[in-house]
Structures are given as structure tokens and as C-alpha cells.
Amino acid sequence: MTAPWWQSGVIYQIYPRSFQDGNGDGMGDLRGIGQRLDYLAGLGIDAIWISPIYPSPMVDFGYDVADYCDIDPRFGALADFDDLLAQAHARGIKILLDFVPNHTSDRHPWFVESRSSHDNPKRDWYLWRDAAPDGGPPNNWVSDFGGSAWEWDEATGQYYYHAFLKQQPDLNWRSPAVQAAMYDVMRFWFDRGVDGFRIDVLWHLIKAGSFPDNPPNPAYHPALAEMHRVLQLHSTDQAEVHVIAAEMRAIADGYGAAGRGERVLIGEIYLPVDRLMHYYGRERPEMHLPFNFQLIEAVWEARAMAALIATYEAALPPGGWPNWVLGNHDRPRVATRLGQAQARVAAMLLLTLRGAPTLYYGDELGLSDVPIPPEQLHDPRGLREPGLGLGRDPVRTPMPWDGSAHAGFSTAQSWLPLNADWPTRNVARMMPEPASILRLYHQLLALRRDHPALAVGAFALLESDGDVLAYERREGAQRLIIALNLGGQPQRLALPRDTTGCRLLLSTLAAAPLIENDVLLLRPDEGVILAA
Ligand code: NOJ
């Protein structure tokens, strides 16, 4: 039996404002993505996930949706989307959209109606509450972007809840009408042919019905974002969210048999592993892939990493397929977190662990966080809580394609600055360089395609010392050994007894590593894949 595409496949996240500008306004768009599909096909990825492209005031850069069933003119029109989908499918590339069900924009017609009066039929589509007896907010919940999560509405004399910005009011997912409307949104895009969704902040959808105060967080200190003042015990991850996740899955599954195969749901969920696992579904299936963000936050140390992987693997429910993420549009880039040398090792880790990997655009070039001058900052998260390193602009900068003006990204000044090293760190320059990280990504993706052991095989950790993380992948007679030196000192790995005569498939460094008397000598910052 062959594995479904979302198990063996590799997902590539596109931040659409920054991938490719197709109309010369300094901002990426759908036509631009279409122009780069050959690059993506050549890279060897299977699906792209595009961050939100719906009409939006862009206060949170598209995560404030004003119409779920259209395309923002900055990115194009529905016809451009249909065109992109057809072009992608013609190349065997799937398209996943970003579904943002927890909140709308405050300009969404639903919210405009809801806030118009107490007796508007859409009043209960959002979370309206009376003031506390002292006139203050109904409880102590803190917005993820700082400040109270409640906004006073003078006209109707009540507060509304917003887990993010006040321009992003939370929908009331306990309302059957909201559920029906949002499930229709999913159908709208599935009917158009999209291959699935990444679901924004899925664990936020349902809040405790009585809105009790959240407990204070004893670990809070002022160097942390204000949201960490309290533990989000009552405002997130409520049992009833699983009924909704299962409904979403049933809708996706309803499209599976028809046409080109299964539609996939990926949940954005930042929770500890034990709670994360519930989102695979217990009584009924929920997410195909609840995002596993542990590599983004991991301590880069072999023993800790081995424990993290083993714990995650062991926690998976029967049939639950693992997944791994190294970076996204909200977190510092891997090259900044670990440095260029270890970014290569991290690429090998991401693409050889068991499970579906998600790549973040630009990481294949070793792009780092780009320092943004104060006058060019855009991200509300960073602007609202300055000085804490929370701003996300540095990880959302334009993709550098070549050495021409504006790095081939646009014919105009780009909305965010390019990486300072773009004249050398760009696709055209790195593609022919055998030692570039881009070529390493190409090689890793090709190996995954050619070796079922990597794409779908079994996983087992190997005994190792010091800075070495070692494991094997097996499928049928195919057995691969992956050894990663997570540090800057040479390391030794005693190879398993029955692997004499191992053949090198790939090293992150030029030239082959040494194997002497069944001991693999790893150079600093080297990762290798051996065929046993
Ligand atoms: C998570 C998204 O990844 C982030 O970019 C956004 O700001 C929040 N959800 C709110 O939608």
C-alpha cells in the first residue's frame, strides 16, 4: 500500500507578501507565486501552504480576514487563484490555504452587524460580555499581543473578546450558525480544488463557557511577552474544540474519494506533547497533522534532542503520523537560531526524521533574520511590545532570487528590506554552487524521494555519545543511518555491528567523512546519511 501524499510529502510554506511580486508594487502576489512554480517543482517539494490571501485590512497581515471567500486585490483575484491552482496541479504540487477560523477582522460584515445592536441576529456570533462590577473587563484574560483581551464598545455598552488584536474579534464557535458558516467556507475552497488547510490557532476556538479568570503564571517575568502573565487555562484548549476539529475533518474526508485524492488538515497548535496528541482525535479523527513545533524551541543538544524525539514518537496515537517544523512566519529563522553551519545539519535532521516536514521559504538559502530599521517596522506584535524581540518582520523579508535590482523579487522597492547579503545569498547564485545550502536541500529532497526508508520508513534511535544524534530509518530491505554532529568539535560514532561496508549517501560537508574500523569520524558541524 502506498502512503497518502501528506505522509510522504514535503510541505513548503510561502509568505505571499514576500515570495515573488508579479505586478511591480513591491509586494508578493499570486501571479508571482505562479512564476516560481518551476523553482518549487525543481526543489522537489510536494505541497505549498500559502499564508492568508483573503481580503483584509492587513492589521495582522492577513490574519484579520474581512471575507473568507475572495482574494485580496493586493494578491490578485479569484481567477488568479484558480489559475495558480491549475498550474500547480499540472506540476504535481498541491496547494494548502491558511484557514483562520478563530477570529475575523473587525471590518468583516459579520462583526459590523454584530456590533450594531444587542438584538442583531449576529450579536452572538462574537463573544460579548457585560463589564465587571467595577466597569472593567469581564475577566483577566490577556491578549496574545499584549494588553487586555477585552475591548469596550461604547455604542452597545459591552466588551468583546479578542485573543489577538482588537481588530481581530473572536468568533463564538458555540453558535451553530457560526459553525455552519465556517464549514461552508471550507467547502467553498474544497469545491474550488484546494488540497487542504493549515488551520490558524485551532486550540483557541472554544473558551470556557463561564469565562473564569485565568490563573497567574508563577514563571512570568517582565522579559516575557505580557500574554505570559497568566496561564491560558480557560481561554484555550477546551474539550469541546475536539468536536469542531472532528467536524472539520469529516468535511475534508468527504472530498477525499472524489478527484485527486485526500485533502489534508494541519492544525496550528502550540501545546505540550500530551495535549497536542489529542488533536489527532480520539473518538473521531481530527487533524491529519497537528503541527509539531518542538524543533523551533529545542535546545540544540544531542541528548536533549534524542529525548524530545523519543518522547514525541512514543506519544503518537495508533495511526498518528508525525510531522516536524523548523521555522515559520512567527518565529526566528533557523539560521539565526543555530548559525549557518548548524542550519545545514538542521536541514538534514528535518528531512530525515520520520514524518511530514514543513519548510519555511528562504530557509533553503540559509536566510537569517533581517534587522529592520525602526521606521520600517510593520508587525503589530513587535510594535505593541517593543524591546522584547517579539517582532516578526525580520523573518518575513523578500525572497532573494538573483543578482538583479531588488533581487529579482520585484521591479520596485520591496515592502520590507532584503537580506544585506542578497547579492551572494540568492537562488541564481547558489544553485550552481555545489557546496551551497540550497544544493544540500535539493540533495536531501531527492534522497527522500528516492528512498522509501526516509519518506515513510520506521525510525529508531542509535546509541551515541557527546554531540552526536544518530538514528536509523528502515523500509523493507532498505536501511539508512543518519548521524548528526550537533556541535563544533569532531565526534566519533561506533556504527552498529552489522553495518560494515556502509556507503555514504550524503554529507552536509564537502568530501566524504572517514570510517575507520566501524567508527564514523564526524567533522565539526557535519551530518551524514549512510546506506547500510
Ligand atoms: C497565528 C499566526 O501564525 C500568526 O501569524 C497570527 O498573528 C496569529 N495566529 C493570529 O491569527
Side-chain angles (χ1 to χ4, degrees), residues 344 434-435 440 504 506-513 523 525-527:
R344 301 172 70 95
L440 176 67
L504 176 72
L506 184 62
S507 165
T508 57
L509 302 181
R523 289 164 287 176
D525 305 305
E526 179 171 38

Side-chain angles (χ1 to χ4, degrees), residues 60 63 103 145 164 198 200-201 268 329-330 392 396:
D60 189 19
Y63 285 95
H103 42 267
F145 290 163
F164 297 90
R198 172 267 192 190
D200 192 64
V201 296
E268 187 210 17
H329 63 296
D330 293 328
R392 300 167 295 179
R396 298 173 172 181

Side-chain angles (χ1 to χ4, degrees), residues 295-341:
L295 294 183
I296 297 185
E297 281 154 9
V299 179
W300 208 248
E301 196 268 316
R303 235 169 260 272
M305 193 65 80
L308 177 161
I309 298 165
T311 308
Y312 175 71
E313 281 274 353
L316 287 164
W321 188 250
N323 77 91
W324 299 94
V325 184
L326 212 48
N328 63 30
H329 63 296
D330 293 328
R331 299 293 163 120
R333 282 191 182 266
V334 59
T336 297
R337 301 196 314 267
L338 305 176
Q340 289 296 336

Side-chain angles (χ1 to χ4, degrees), residues 152-192:
W152 176 249
D153 179 58
E154 196 59 51
T156 57
Q158 277 192 314
Y159 282 91
Y160 67 86
Y161 176 69
H162 56 91
F164 297 90
L165 298 171
K166 66 178 182 194
Q167 295 90 344
Q168 295 168 293
D170 279 42
L171 282 162
N172 173 18
W173 268 88
R174 293 180 189 272
S175 152
V178 166
Q179 294 175 13
M182 292 303 271
Y183 297 152
D184 278 349
V185 170
M186 297 179 75
R187 292 188 190 98
F188 174 85
W189 292 107
F190 279 143
D191 286 338
R192 281 197 116 76

Side-chain angles (χ1 to χ4, degrees), residues 368-383:
S368 301
D369 292 7
V370 177
I372 311 288
E375 65 282 3
Q376 284 189 59
L377 291 175
H378 286 75
D379 179 28
R381 175 133 214 238
L383 290 168

